[in-house]
Amino acid sequence: MPDVQVLVNDFINKLRKRKIEGSQATSRQTAELLRSVISQTRVPYTNQAGALIDAVRAVGEQLIAANPVELAVGNIVRRVLHIIREEDLSLATAAVAGLGLSSVSDDEDDSERDNHPVLSAAVVAAAARSTLRPPSLQTLLEDVPDSGAVPHTSSSGGDSEGKSKSADKSSRSRKLKHDVIEALNELIQDITTCHELIAEQAVEHIHQNEVILTLGSSRTVLEFLCAAKEKKRSFRVFVAEGAPRYQGHLLAKDLVTRGLQTTLITDSAVFAMISRVNMVIVGAHAVMANGGVIAPVGLNMVALAAQRHAVPFVVLAGSHKLCPLYPHNPEVLLNELRSPSELLDFGEFSDCMDFGTGTASPLLHVVNPTFDYVPPKLVSLFITDTGGHNPSYVYRLIADYYSADDLVVQRRPPTAS
Amino acid sequence: MWWRSASFILDHRLQEDPPNDIASSSKEPDTLSKLSPPQTHSSFMAAADPFNPIPNPKISAYYQTRAAHTAVVTSDWLAQAQAAVGHHPDDSPAPQTQLLASPSASGKSFCVINEFNNWRKQPDLAEAVAAIRALAAVIRASEATTMMELEIELKKASDSLKSWDTTSISLTAGCDLFMRYVTRTSALEYEDFNSARSRLIERAEKFGEISCKARRIIAMLSQDFIFDGCTILVHGFSRVVLEVLKTAAQNKKLFRVFCTEGRPDRTGLRFSNELAKLDVPVKLLIDSAVAYTMDEVDMVFVGADGVVESGGIINMMGTYQIALVAHSMNKPVYVAAESYKFARLYPLDQKDMAPALRPIDFGVPIPSKVEVERSARDYTPPQYLTLLFTDLGVLTPSVVSDELIQLYL
C-alpha cells in the first residue's frame, strides 16, 4: 500500500509543521486518512479485526508522535480502534446468534438452550462484550480480564466461523471492513456537524438580556451565539481580545455582522468586567479524562475570575475533543510554545534578542505558550454534541467512546520510544 | 449534635457504668485495653479462642488484623507482650495458626469465623480476600443441593462474619461483593448445580490472585503520575502504596518519600524500612510535622481501608488532616485502593461510623479521669481527594458511587 504511505507521510509533515490548525480540522483529516488506510488494508480470513487494529495502530502511533500536543489525533485513532472492535463484536454476536438458531431449532424454550455448544458460544459473546466495557466491579470476580482482550475477541469470531460454512468467511471479512468504513463515515459526519448540534442547545443556556463573556475566537462559540440570536434572544457579548493572536477581534467583527451587541475588552480587563457578566462561554482545545480543559491561553484567568464572582463557566466541546488521558503536569507537557514574533516586533527588539552580538545568552526571553490548563473544579458545565454534562461526568462519556485497551496500548509505544 | 452539649458528661457516666460491672466479673480485657502496655499480635491472637470470637470488645478485630500485619515489633514490645501472655508454649504465631485450624478442620461444626480468622493471619492477604476465602470454605462444607439453599447458607455465614466484626469495611465489602457474585451466577447459566458450585469455589480461590493483580494494575496506572524529582508524602502502611513506589523505583524514577510516623502503631517506621530496602531516599516525620513539610511535597499518596459511596475514603487516623493540609496548599492527594474496598457506606461525618478502637501507649500512666480518643481511623470527604487509582482505572471520586450503583442496583 505505497499510496497510503504517501498520504500518511504527507499528513505527518503537515502535523509537524503545524500546517493544520484547530482540533476539528485535524480530527476530520485524521479520520479521513484512517479511512483510506482501512480501505487499503488487505484483511486475512481469520482475525480480520486484529489486522485492521494493527494497521490503524501502526499509523496512529506515527501520527501521535508527529504532534503529541494535538490530542485530537490520538482521540480519533482511539475512536477508530473502538469502532473496529465494536463492529467486529456485533458481527461475532450476530454469527453466534445465527449459530444458536441453526443448532437449536426451538429457541423460545429456555431449558432447551442449556445444552453445551450454544451455551459456550453465549458465554464467549458475553465475555467479548465485557472486554469492550471498561472493567467494573461486576466483572471483578468473572474471569475475563486481559486474557480475553484483543486476541480473544477476534478468535471468538474465528471459532464461530469455523463451525459455519467457509463461503461465509469472505463475505464476513468484506462485511467487517464495509461496516467499519460505514461507521467511520458517520464519525466524520459527526465531526463536521458537531457545531450545529452544540448550537442547537444555545437557547436553553442563553436567556434574554444576559451578558456573555468569551475569550479569543472559537467557531463553536460563534455558532452557539448566533444560534441564540437567530432564536430571537437579545443579549450582549463581551469579547476579550485573546492576546497575542487577537482572534477576539475577528470574533467581534463576525458577531457584529450577524447583528449582535458586542463589546471588545482587553484580556486584562476580564476581572474588571466579570461582575457584570451572567455567563462565560468558551471553546476548548481538549477535554481531559478528569474534566480538566486544555484551552487557549488566558482562559485559566477567566475561569478564576468567574469563580470569584460565581459566574457559570461553560465550555463548548465537540465529542472529538474528549481525550481519555489524564493530564500529568499539563501546563508543561501539554503545551506548545509559539513564535515570539506574535508578541514582539523583531525589528525593534532584535538587539535585545540577538544571539549573534553577545557571547552569552540573550537577556530578553520571550515565552509564548499556546494553552492553559483549567482544572475541573473551575468548570461549571460542558456542552457537547450529546448535551450538557458536569465535569465529573466526563469519564462516563469517555467510557462510551473509547475502549479501555486502547488507552494503555496506544500510549506505551510513544513513551517507550 | 448531642455530644457537644454539656450533657455529654452524664452520657459518659451512663456509658461507663455497665463496663465497670463487666470489668469486675472479667477483669482482664478491660485493664488490658485501658492503660495497658502495648501489645503485639501474639497476645491478640492468643486471646482469640474459637468459642469466644470477640476476645476484647475494647479493641476491634479490625485493629487486631492491622496490628498483626503492620505493627512494628520492637524488643520492648515483645517483652511486654510476653509478660502479658504469660508462658505461652510457642512464641511464634505460625504454629498457633495450626492449633486453631485443627479443631475447625476436624470438628464437625464448621465455623465461618474460625475460617476467616485462619485466613486473615496470613500477612500478605487482604481482609476482603480472607472473607471471600472463608465464604468459599462455607460452600465447600455445605451440604446444600440447590442454589437457593446454598445462597441462604452463604447469606447466614456472611451475616455472621459481618456482625462479628462490624468495624472492618473491607470485610463487609468483600462479603457483599461475593454474595452479589453468587446471586448473579445462577445454576441455570451452567449445566447443573455442582458445576456452578465448583465454579464459585474456583473463583473464590482465584480472588487472592485477583487482589495481587489489582495491586500490580494500580502500580502501573500510577506510574505516569510519579515524575522525576518529585517528593511524595505517605501516611500509614499500605501494601498498595508500597507496590506503587516499588514499581516506580524499579522503573528508575528518581523521587523521595516522606513517611509520617503513624502513631501509635508506628506503621510509618515499617514503611520507611521497606523503602530504605529499595534504596529510595526516605525521611521520617512525626505526625504533627505534616503541615511544616507540606510545601516541599509534590503529592500525597495514601492507601484506604475502605472507599465509601461518596468517593471519600476511610483510612488510618490522620489521613483527613493530611488531606486538609494538602488541599489548602493545592497539592494533589492520590488514593491507591483495590476496587474490592468499595463499600456501600455513606458516612456523613467523622462520628458516623462504627469506631475501630485501639490501645494507645503514651509512655506514662494516664489518670483514669482522662479520656483517650482511641479511634483508629477517620473519614476523608471526597472534595479533598484528587484521584483514586484502582484496578478499574484512574477514577475521580464521583465515579465510585457510579460503580457501586451499577453493581448493586
Side-chain angles (χ1 to χ4, degrees):
Chain A
M1 42 171 200
D3 42 339
V4 179
Q5 200 52 50
V6 170
L7 280 176
V8 169
N9 287 339
D10 197 35
F11 190 64
I12 286 174
N13 269 333
K14 277 191 196 159
L15 278 176
R16 284 222 181 98
K17 293 176 182 164
R18 309 294 192 257
K19 286 272 176 61
I20 309 171
E21 283 224 323
S23 44
Q24 202 211 4
T26 321
S27 50
R28 202 188 60 239
Q29 292 186 34
T30 312
E32 278 162 2
L33 178 72
L34 290 177
R35 186 177 57 184
S36 54
V37 166
I38 286 172
S39 64
Q40 299 278 332
T41 308
R42 285 176 56 90
V43 280
Y45 281 145
T46 53
N47 198 5
Q48 306 105 352
L52 284 184
I53 286 173
D54 287 344
V56 170
R57 189 170 282 168
V59 174
E61 261 170 44
Q62 301 175 44
L63 297 185
I64 292 173
N67 185 357
V69 177
E70 188 52 87
L71 294 162
V73 177
N75 297 348
I76 294 300
V77 172
R78 293 188 186 97
R79 279 284 278 277
V80 172
L81 289 173
H82 182 67
I83 284 171
I84 297 172
R85 286 174 207 277
E86 243 178 9
E87 293 299 336
D88 182 50
L89 177 67
S90 69
L91 278 179
T93 42
V96 166
L99 206 76
L101 274 175
S102 61
S103 69
V104 184
S105 50
D106 186 11
D107 74 323
E108 307 244 306
D109 197 352
D110 264 8
S111 58
E112 283 276 296
R113 266 209 274 184
D114 281 344
N115 64 13
H116 202 73
V118 187
L119 176 94
S120 67
V123 168
V124 163
R129 209 173 304 123
S130 69
T131 56
L132 273 189
R133 268 185 285 133
S136 75
L137 272 180
Q138 288 173 39
T139 52
L140 191 64
L141 272 168
E142 289 157 21
D143 60 334
V144 251
D146 113 334
S147 63
V150 195
H152 195 118
T153 321
S154 39
S155 75
S156 77
D159 278 353
S160 51
E161 256 184 349
K163 288 166 198 158
S164 55
K165 279 156 272 172
S166 57
D168 247 15
K169 275 186 185 173
S170 56
S171 75
R172 219 205 106 187
S173 75
R174 239 179 284 128
K175 193 156 183 327
L176 174 70
K177 221 161 114 171
H178 177 259
D179 284 358
V180 167
I181 288 174
E182 199 78 339
L184 259 176
N185 285 335
E186 259 173 56
L187 174 66
I188 294 170
Q189 188 67 25
D190 281 354
I191 293 170
T192 38
T193 58
C194 78
H195 291 314
E196 284 115 74
L197 287 171
I198 294 173
E200 267 174 27
Q201 306 162 52
V203 247
E204 297 166 28
H205 298 280
I206 298 176
H207 306 111
Q208 194 73 11
N209 295 328
E210 272 192 342
V211 178
I212 311 288
L213 182 126
T214 184
L215 182 137
S217 173
S218 152
R219 177 145 167 250
T220 325
V221 172
L222 176 68
E223 304 245 334
F224 193 80
L225 295 174
C226 292
K229 170 75 184 167
E230 275 161 26
K231 299 267 169 62
K232 304 282 179 245
R233 289 280 148 83
S234 78
F235 54 95
R236 296 171 65 86
V237 184
F238 286 179
V239 181
E241 59 186 358
R245 302 175 81 188
Y246 303 112
Q247 287 181 321
H249 297 175
L250 300 177
L251 180 71
K253 200 176 152 202
D254 280 342
L255 289 174
V256 169
T257 51
R258 310 253 187 135
L260 268 162
Q261 271 286 340
T262 309
T263 311
L264 192 68
I265 60 174
T266 60
D267 293 348
S268 42
V270 165
F271 258 105
M273 305 300 279
I274 196 81
S275 57
R276 298 176 51 193
V277 171
N278 296 102
M279 197 195 297
V280 178
I281 299 180
V282 295
H285 174 68
V287 178
M288 306 307 287
N290 63 347
V293 184
I294 307 289
V297 73
L299 273 182
N300 198 15
M301 180 196 70
V302 177
L304 284 168
Q307 188 204 35
R308 186 77 182 77
H309 289 265
V311 177
F313 185 83
V314 178
V315 176
L316 310 181
S319 56
H320 58 274
K321 293 186 180 178
L322 289 177
C323 179
L325 306 177
Y326 283 86
H328 319 286
N329 198 3
E331 292 85 353
V332 179
L333 293 182
L334 292 175
N335 217 332
E336 191 168 24
L337 298 181
R338 299 184 68 89
S339 155
S341 63
E342 286 172 358
L343 258 83
L344 293 180
D345 204 2
F346 273 139
E348 219 176 305
F349 287 89
S350 51
D351 292 345
C352 326
M353 296 196 290
D354 197 359
F355 285 87
T357 54
T359 47
S361 59
L363 289 174
L364 180 63
H365 283 271
V366 179
V367 176
N368 181 13
T370 322
F371 300 119
D372 250 356
Y373 172 69
V374 183
K377 64 178 176 196
L378 296 182
V379 180
S380 319
L381 187 72
F382 284 108
I383 300 179
T384 72
D385 29 0
T386 52
H389 302 291
N390 212 36
S392 62
Y393 193 77
V394 168
Y395 81 95
R396 205 67 194 283
L397 297 175
I398 281 164
D400 286 347
Y401 289 131
Y402 306 99
S403 50
D405 303 332
D406 299 330
L407 317 183
V408 189
V409 181
Q410 191 60 41
R411 290 207 60 221
R412 287 301 152 198
T415 46
S417 63
Chain B
M1 284 183 254
W2 58 269
W3 61 81
R4 290 206 181 145
S5 70
S7 68
F8 75 89
I9 299 171
L10 292 174
D11 291 336
H12 185 67
R13 274 189 202 141
L14 281 178
Q15 280 173 351
E16 279 300 286
D17 278 342
N20 283 341
D21 296 343
I22 295 169
S24 57
S25 61
S26 66
K27 215 175 169 193
E28 192 220 24
D30 205 44
T31 45
L32 261 183
S33 67
K34 268 226 154 162
L35 295 170
S36 64
Q39 300 153 57
T40 58
H41 49 113
S42 60
S43 69
F44 285 146
M45 294 307 176
D49 68 309
F51 302 105
N52 177 18
I54 308 175
N56 189 346
K58 285 278 178 172
I59 302 169
S60 73
Y62 151 80
Y63 181 70
Q64 289 179 25
T65 319
R66 295 265 332 165
H69 287 178
T70 61
V72 181
V73 185
T74 55
S75 53
D76 56 329
W77 280 30
L78 265 180
Q80 281 174 334
Q82 249 156 21
V85 176
H87 46 88
H88 198 272
D90 308 288
D91 286 351
S92 60
Q96 226 170 305
T97 315
Q98 268 143 29
L99 214 102
L100 275 178
S102 51
S104 68
S106 60
K108 254 197 298 180
S109 63
F110 175 80
C111 178
V112 65
I113 292 164
N114 289 341
E115 188 70 27
F116 173 68
N117 267 328
N118 287 339
W119 282 116
R120 80 184 174 120
K121 271 173 213 156
Q122 297 194 7
D124 220 33
L125 217 57
E127 207 157 80
V129 181
I132 287 180
R133 288 264 172 92
L135 290 179
V138 172
I139 300 180
R140 207 176 292 119
S142 106
E143 283 148 14
T145 50
T146 63
M147 208 61 199
M148 207 58 215
E149 267 180 78
L150 187 66
E151 254 173 57
I152 292 167
E153 227 168 278
L154 270 179
K155 183 97 185 71
K156 255 188 219 153
S158 87
D159 281 348
S160 66
L161 253 187
K162 283 197 265 182
S163 60
W164 174 69
D165 181 6
T166 48
T167 52
S168 171
I169 295 156
S170 60
L171 168 64
T172 316
C175 285
D176 284 348
L177 186 67
F178 191 66
M179 284 311 294
R180 196 70 200 165
Y181 179 65
V182 170
T183 29
R184 287 203 174 189
T185 313
S186 57
L188 268 184
E189 205 177 308
Y190 298 92
E191 292 84 73
D192 55 11
F193 170 71
N194 276 332
S195 65
R197 187 181 139 185
S198 60
R199 174 155 173 92
L200 285 180
I201 293 175
E202 174 211 341
R203 296 309 305 157
E205 313 268 275
K206 283 248 179 79
F207 194 72
E209 278 171 44
I210 295 178
S211 119
C212 285
K213 200 160 82 187
R215 273 179 221 159
R216 276 199 303 278
I217 293 173
I218 293 167
M220 291 294 294
L221 285 175
S222 47
Q223 288 314 302
D224 288 331
F225 291 81
I226 299 175
F227 50 91
D228 275 339
C230 69
T231 305
I232 303 170
L233 178 73
V234 176
H235 182 63
F237 188 96
S238 154
R239 278 168 290 206
V240 199
V241 175
L242 183 61
E243 181 81 26
V244 167
L245 297 180
K246 211 185 259 176
T247 316
Q250 279 162 2
N251 288 353
K252 306 261 186 295
K253 302 229 179 195
L254 299 171
F255 59 98
R256 65 176 171 160
V257 180
F258 289 174
C259 279
T260 56
E261 180 195 7
R263 279 268 299 156
D265 4 314
R266 305 205 253 174
T267 47
L269 291 183
R270 181 163 161 214
F271 200 83
S272 60
N273 270 347
E274 297 283 337
L275 287 174
K277 276 186 215 158
L278 299 171
D279 278 338
V280 174
V282 54
K283 191 190 213 177
L284 265 178
L285 316 173
I286 52 172
D287 291 330
S288 38
V290 167
Y292 173 78
T293 46
M294 190 54 88
D295 63 338
E296 283 178 72
V297 170
D298 290 305
M299 65 189 77
V300 178
F301 244 103
V302 290
D305 287 338
V307 181
V308 297
E309 229 166 318
S310 61
I313 58 165
I314 292 172
N315 195 29
M316 186 189 151
M317 183 63 84
T319 309
Y320 181 35
Q321 65 192 22
I322 289 177
L324 278 174
V325 171
H327 183 75
S328 72
M329 296 205 187
N330 268 329
K331 310 283 179 181
V333 179
Y334 298 134
V335 179
E338 299 96 327
S339 59
Y340 56 75
K341 284 178 177 166
F342 289 11
R344 296 190 72 196
L345 295 171
Y346 204 111
L348 297 172
D349 61 17
Q350 299 299 327
K351 307 278 156 69
D352 199 14
M353 309 171 284
L357 300 180
R358 65 176 171 193
I360 295 178
D361 172 31
F362 286 98
V364 288
I366 306 290
S368 58
K369 277 180 189 164
V370 174
E371 227 183 323
V372 176
E373 176 61 67
R374 294 187 300 134
S375 183
R377 58 192 184 189
D378 57 18
Y379 163 61
T380 310
Q383 65 263 36
Y384 302 114
L385 307 176
T386 315
L387 288 174
L388 296 146
F389 300 133
T390 73
D391 43 323
L392 309 181
V394 182
L395 311 178
T396 47
S398 57
V399 185
V400 174
S401 60
D402 224 68
E403 285 291 342
L404 284 167
I405 287 168
Q406 273 178 29
L407 179 63
Y408 290 106
L409 205 66

